[in-house]
Amino acid sequence: MKQSTSSHPSPNTPDATTHAAQTPKLTPTASTSATELSGLKIRLHDALRQFPDFPSPGILFEDILPIFADPNLHEALIRALDLHVSSSYAAGEKPDVVVGLEARGLLFGPSLALRLGAGFVPVRKHGKLPGPTETARFEKEYGEDFFQIQKDSIKQGQRVIIVDDIIATGGSAAAAGSLVERLGGTLLGYIFILELDFLKGREKLQAPVYTLLSSQEQSSSKPT
């Protein structure tokens, strides 16, 4: 319980509420988690590979697949994302559903959902999912594309996070967010492994964005 200042403590006695506000400290648990997360990020970043001029000239392709080739790195990725979610949402506000985007959001979305005790729902390209679906259109560098989600995959009021490997222009992520909201889900935020800052994709998104690793800043990169 905070100490009351109405009892007029002496001038030499600091106000506990003011003193606490001036010197915020991480709890031991939060400090330990932050240190662990920092170490995991270094390991994961060191595992990335870059391929110039793939899949076309001028593109610098970020390859995350070495993370999944090594079970220890795969575990490190899921642990890092778990730490982020645990520190960002209170116990009663954690996601009920993890939505993974085709294609590489499907690589780690199920593992993260299992770790969080949440359901997993895929968002896929047009024609890949059976049964009744909702469809959203989005712009690509050369034309348009469509995402779909099964209509019964998210229940009214369920809390949802959307995951993918990289945010570039933000069009596909925004389309996925609109699908979640159409089904009645509450979109808590987006999680990406990498971000291409210069494309300003997060400006298209209507929920908080978290990028795990450092962003690529040069303009020769892979848009999605």
Side-chain angles (χ1 to χ4, degrees), residues 26 103 119 156 165 207:
L26 290 174
Q156 185 74 30
D165 65 325

Side-chain angles (χ1 to χ4, degrees), residues 5 14 40 46 58 60-61 82 85 103 110 117-118 140 147 157 161 199 201 203:
T5 58
L40 291 170
D46 287 346
L60 181 62
F61 187 89
D82 181 20
V85 172
K140 298 180 67 175
F147 263 164
I161 57 173
L199 293 176
E203 295 179 2

Side-chain angles (χ1 to χ4, degrees), residues 129-135 149-155 183:
L129 293 171
T133 57
E134 283 283 345
T135 302
I149 192 171
Q150 290 178 314
K151 283 190 174 182
D152 61 354
S153 59
I154 295 175
K155 306 299 187 291
L183 296 186

Side-chain angles (χ1 to χ4, degrees), residues 65-138:
L65 294 182
I67 292 174
F68 301 98
D70 183 330
N72 293 319
L73 288 173
H74 191 172
E75 165 61 29
L77 172 65
I78 301 307
R79 174 60 176 162
L81 298 178
D82 181 20
L83 286 171
H84 163 69
V85 172
S86 297
S87 66
S88 299
Y89 306 105
E93 297 297 324
K94 291 186 177 179
D96 303 303
V97 177
V98 175
V99 167
L101 306 191
E102 187 171 336
R104 280 163 292 195
L106 305 183
L107 288 176
F108 63 97
S111 300
L112 178 60
L114 186 62
R115 179 66 59 86
L116 298 175
F120 176 76
V121 172
V123 165
R124 302 205 62 190
K125 296 294 182 65
H126 185 271
K128 298 290 186 67
L129 293 171
T133 57
E134 283 283 345
T135 302
R137 171 186 173 277
F138 61 95

Side-chain angles (χ1 to χ4, degrees), residues 116-213:
L116 298 175
F120 176 76
V121 172
V123 165
R124 302 205 62 190
K125 296 294 182 65
H126 185 271
K128 298 290 186 67
L129 293 171
T133 57
E134 283 283 345
T135 302
R137 171 186 173 277
F138 61 95
E139 294 290 337
K140 298 180 67 175
E141 186 180 8
Y142 303 108
E144 64 180 16
D145 210 339
F146 298 88
F147 263 164
Q148 291 185 318
I149 192 171
Q150 290 178 314
K151 283 190 174 182
D152 61 354
S153 59
I154 295 175
K155 306 299 187 291
Q156 185 74 30
Q158 283 189 310
R159 297 180 294 271
V160 179
I161 57 173
I162 293 174
V163 303
D164 202 4
D165 65 325
I166 192 167
I167 175 174
T169 63
S172 59
S178 72
L179 290 174
V180 167
E181 292 176 338
R182 267 191 247 167
L183 296 186
T186 299
L187 183 56
L188 298 180
Y190 296 85
I191 295 176
F192 303 96
I193 299 177
L194 293 164
E195 180 174 0
L196 307 185
D197 281 346
F198 60 91
L199 293 176
K200 304 184 184 303
R202 66 170 58 213
E203 295 179 2
K204 295 181 181 178
L205 306 182
Q206 301 301 312
V209 175
Y210 174 74
T211 303
L212 179 64
L213 303 181

Side-chain angles (χ1 to χ4, degrees), residues 58-61 196 198-199 216-223:
I59 302 296
L60 181 62
F61 187 89
L196 307 185
F198 60 91
L199 293 176
Q216 185 186 117
E217 296 180 353
Q218 55 263 54
S219 58
S220 55
S221 310
K222 175 185 177 296

Side-chain angles (χ1 to χ4, degrees), residues 2 38 184:
K2 293 182 178 179
S38 178

